[in-house]
Amino acid sequence: MIQRNRDLRFSPSPLFLRLFITIAMALALLAPVNFVLITPGPATALFPKVLSVEAPAGVKTYPVNGQLNLLTIYVTNPESYVFGAEVLGCWAWGECVALPRSVMYEDGATDDAEVKTGKKEMTQSQNTALAAARGAINRNFKGVDISAVQDKSVKISLKNTGGPSGGLIFTLGLIDLLTSEDLLQGRNVAGTGTISADGKVGPIGGVVEKVIGAKKAGAKILFISTQNCSELPSKVEGIEVIAIEKIDEAISYLRQPFSRGERGEGNFNSAGIRGCASVGA
């Protein structure tokens, strides 16, 4: 049995010790740390201003009934200072991730080099998206020939954005523009993932932040790569997350009969993720 003495007192910490702890904590919050911050960026609607095709003779383009959204994230530059207080605020905010700088950047990375790399990857993803769209149309839309459409025919107006993660959504956009079928059926759709010429969808970084961005943009469907499944939370609400391996799976899903009373605008409230055998905690 423990007896408690009500007269027991603990001596207060010496003034110099409290002062030392206060100064140490302040310095920790104000000192730069070797981290980068990732936050959700704005979603960019592809139609009508961002993506268009100047169709050559013999190729038709069609109006789009709905919207496709390109998703972005903000990442601090390799040469930017990140302070301890910012990391603490990032963890507290919830819509932010703090990662060691080495996870995002190699030693010696510079702002200029990263910008150039991002622009190069964006251009490559646009060109690859056309090859992927051409193959998907050949497989899924019999009688449609877009072989005359070349890279220079595709016009993408997008500033201050880099990286390869727009490949999936660019491919879907080209398919919708170059075929007469109403794939979107009036829906607001988002997507993020790399694309290969044969239509394979690859993983991207910041998928959780992009889910947040898609929801803020009002998207009801989000396509991601199955290789990003492990990074998702165990439950995503308010948006239908569809994990795919190839662009053909997105086409197949969008072709399903759609009723506003069943899902989409209005009373839609998703409670699951499709296409993932397992997800993160």
Side-chain angles (χ1 to χ4, degrees):
M1 186 173 69
I2 299 176
Q3 292 183 339
R4 302 188 182 278
N5 186 346
R6 293 188 178 183
D7 295 328
L8 185 64
R9 296 287 186 272
F10 293 96
S11 59
S13 300
L15 178 61
F16 77 89
L17 180 58
R18 284 181 285 167
L19 183 61
F20 174 80
I21 294 174
T22 301
I23 293 174
M25 291 179 64
L27 289 175
L29 293 175
L30 297 176
V33 292
N34 203 26
F35 278 77
V36 295
L37 305 182
I38 303 174
T39 56
T44 302
L46 290 192
F47 308 115
K49 296 182 179 180
V50 172
L51 177 64
S52 61
V53 176
E54 292 182 356
V59 177
K60 293 183 179 180
T61 59
Y62 300 88
V64 175
N65 176 28
Q67 189 58 265
L68 290 171
N69 293 277
L70 175 73
L71 302 175
T72 62
I73 55 174
Y74 289 129
V75 183
T76 48
N77 293 325
E79 296 182 65
S80 298
Y81 289 110
V82 175
F83 299 96
E86 292 180 285
V87 174
L88 184 61
C90 177
W91 285 330
W93 179 30
E95 291 188 3
C96 177
V97 173
L99 294 175
R101 192 177 300 269
S102 59
V103 173
M104 293 296 298
Y105 300 117
E106 296 181 356
D107 290 341
T110 64
D111 293 355
D112 287 344
E114 289 299 316
V115 169
K116 289 179 181 177
T117 298
K119 288 182 177 179
K120 182 179 179 181
E121 290 175 338
M122 174 67 80
T123 300
Q124 289 176 339
S125 74
Q126 294 168 8
N127 296 341
T128 305
L130 177 58
R134 187 180 291 117
I137 289 173
N138 286 340
R139 291 188 297 270
N140 296 279
F141 301 86
K142 302 305 180 184
V144 179
D145 181 8
I146 64 164
S147 58
V149 179
Q150 304 299 315
D151 292 340
K152 63 181 180 180
S153 304
V154 178
K155 307 299 179 183
I156 296 178
S157 177
L158 195 63
K159 296 181 179 180
N160 302 322
T161 303
S165 64
L168 186 162
I169 206 70
F170 288 143
T171 304
L172 279 179
L174 290 170
I175 292 169
D176 212 336
L177 281 171
L178 293 166
T179 60
S180 60
E181 187 172 339
D182 182 13
L183 280 180
L184 294 182
Q185 304 180 63
R187 290 170 288 190
N188 192 3
V189 177
T192 184
T194 64
I195 198 72
S196 65
D198 61 357
K200 293 180 181 178
V201 178
I204 49 82
V207 68
V208 172
E209 289 69 41
K210 290 183 177 180
V211 172
I212 295 170
K215 291 171 66 175
K216 288 183 176 180
K220 299 303 179 182
I221 297 171
L222 169 61
F223 292 109
I224 67 166
S225 168
T226 54
Q227 296 179 63
N228 281 123
C229 284
S230 62
E231 301 168 48
L232 292 172
S234 58
K235 186 176 181 180
V236 176
E237 296 182 336
I239 190 168
E240 185 87 355
V241 179
I242 312 297
I244 59 176
E245 295 182 353
K246 295 198 70 175
I247 197 68
D248 300 60
E249 296 171 52
I251 295 171
S252 177
Y253 182 84
L254 292 174
R255 276 176 159 171
Q256 296 177 21
F258 168 71
S259 169
R260 293 181 186 274
E262 296 174 1
R263 60 185 189 273
E265 291 85 359
N267 62 358
F268 176 84
N269 185 16
S270 174
I273 300 164
R274 298 192 184 188
C276 290
S278 61
V279 295

